[in-house]
């Protein structure tokens, strides 16, 4: 149980285009989903926290208009990188938690999405 | 604020060696503690967790004990395998409501040689 999927697993796009990444909790409902960014050989950096049906809470220094987050249901959150540039190239990881399957404080992570902007 | 400090790697061991990765934390209140593992090119997998003092989390031969008196949560395994090669993250969460923000350590790269 507690499986989280991400799609796509990797994407290459041209500079200036927008890219949408989906995060789904497959076998549980998640009240909260998180989006992280990870640079090579570094730890995860929390970008934003989203609760179903409400606006996401962004961490300091993360541009809200660049990284659009939608949490439309208890099983789906999306991250859209708008007008992507090469510096946005990174490994993006989502996590889900706080759901009925595990009402405690455990977060379950997706497999990540590798974004490369040319 | 909350913080997690874990031993810097990389750690290189031979198969069947004993593993310890140290982790200490600073937090107010009563955090929950976690170890996550990340294999190359993948997301994080929950390895084990402990939610209160003196709890021992264990999974796949790994274990860690929540020590409030030393604010530590060291990861141990008696006999590592090549397949244990990965990055290990110690983390804590310290929120009571529906927002369970994780605070991560920097990660420790473990390489196990045959």
């Amino acid at each position: 149980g507690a499986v989280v999927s991400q799609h796509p697993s990797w994407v290459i796009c041209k500079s200036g285009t927008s890219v949408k990444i989906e995060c789904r909790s497959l076998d549980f409902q998640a009240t909260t989903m998180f989006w992280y960014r990870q640079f090579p050989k570094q730890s995860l950096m929390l970008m934003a926290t989203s609760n179903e049906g409400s606006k996401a809470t962004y961490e300091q220094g993360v541009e809200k208009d660049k990284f659009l987050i939608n949490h439309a249901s208890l099983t789906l959150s999306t991250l859209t990188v708008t007008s992507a540039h090469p510096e946005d190239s990174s490994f993006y990881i989502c996590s889900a938690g706080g759901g009925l399957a595990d009402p405690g404080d455990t977060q379950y992570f997706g497999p990540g999405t590798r974004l490369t902007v040319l | 604020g909350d913080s997690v400090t874990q031993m810097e790697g990389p750690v290189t061991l031979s198969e069947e060696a004993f593993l310890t990765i140290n982790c200490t934390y600073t937090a107010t209140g009563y955090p929950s503690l976690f170890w996550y593992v990340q294999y190359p090119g993948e997301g994080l997998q929950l390895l084990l967790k402990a939610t209160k003092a003196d709890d021992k989390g264990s999974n796949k031969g790994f274990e860690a004990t929540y020590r409030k008196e030393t604010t530590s949560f060291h990861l141990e395994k008696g006999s590592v395998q090549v397949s244990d090669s990965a990055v290990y993250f110690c983390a804590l969460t310290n929120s009571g409501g529906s927002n369970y923000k994780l605070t991560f350590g920097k990660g420790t790269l473990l390489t196990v040689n045959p």
Side-chain angles (χ1 to χ4, degrees):
Chain A
V3 179
V4 177
S5 71
Q6 275 183 247
H7 179 79
S9 55
W10 60 270
V11 56
I12 301 173
C13 68
K14 292 183 179 179
S15 187
T17 60
S18 294
V19 175
K20 180 185 282 188
I21 302 170
E22 291 187 349
C23 176
R24 292 181 186 271
S25 55
L26 298 184
D27 51 3
F28 69 105
Q29 293 182 323
T31 54
T32 307
M33 288 187 170
F34 302 83
W35 287 96
Y36 296 84
R37 184 172 178 177
Q38 186 179 34
F39 293 100
K41 299 185 179 182
Q42 293 189 23
S43 189
L44 280 70
M45 181 191 80
L46 179 64
M47 299 174 66
T49 303
S50 72
N51 291 296
E52 185 264 340
S54 61
K55 288 185 178 180
T57 302
Y58 290 81
E59 295 299 301
Q60 194 171 10
V62 178
E63 298 177 59
K64 301 178 185 181
D65 295 331
K66 181 156 191 65
F67 298 101
L68 300 178
I69 292 171
N70 182 280
H71 193 162
S73 76
L74 286 172
T75 60
L76 173 64
S77 176
T78 60
L79 167 68
T80 301
V81 183
T82 62
S83 187
H85 291 284
E87 59 266 29
D88 299 323
S89 298
S90 192
F91 194 51
Y92 292 88
I93 306 176
C94 73
S95 70
L100 298 178
D102 185 341
D105 48 8
T106 303
Q107 287 185 31
Y108 298 93
F109 285 79
T113 297
R114 173 76 58 195
L115 170 63
T116 302
V117 185
L118 302 176
Chain B
D2 298 342
S3 67
V4 175
T5 303
Q6 62 183 104
M7 65 186 284
E8 302 224 358
V11 174
T12 303
L13 296 173
S14 298
E15 207 165 22
E16 299 184 3
F18 184 86
L19 169 71
T20 300
I21 301 178
N22 289 337
C23 172
T24 57
Y25 67 90
T26 301
T28 56
Y30 302 94
S32 293
L33 304 174
F34 304 84
W35 277 100
Y36 284 90
V37 57
Q38 185 177 32
Y39 298 100
E42 299 184 13
L44 273 66
Q45 297 178 25
L46 176 65
L47 183 59
L48 54 85
K49 72 174 186 179
T51 58
K52 61 183 187 297
D54 299 326
D55 267 3
K56 178 186 282 189
S58 60
N59 185 26
K60 299 180 181 179
F62 291 90
E63 58 181 36
T65 301
Y66 188 144
R67 301 285 188 201
K68 191 165 177 62
E69 64 275 14
T70 54
T71 61
S72 65
F73 193 55
H74 305 321
L75 182 68
E76 296 182 337
K77 186 174 185 182
S79 176
V80 294
Q81 305 299 313
V82 173
S83 56
D84 294 327
S85 298
V87 179
Y88 292 81
F89 291 96
C90 185
L92 69 83
T93 186
N94 200 10
S95 296
S98 60
N99 252 359
Y100 305 111
K101 261 191 206 184
L102 276 169
T103 299
F104 283 97
K106 292 187 175 181
T108 302
L109 172 63
L110 170 67
T111 302
V112 180
N113 295 318

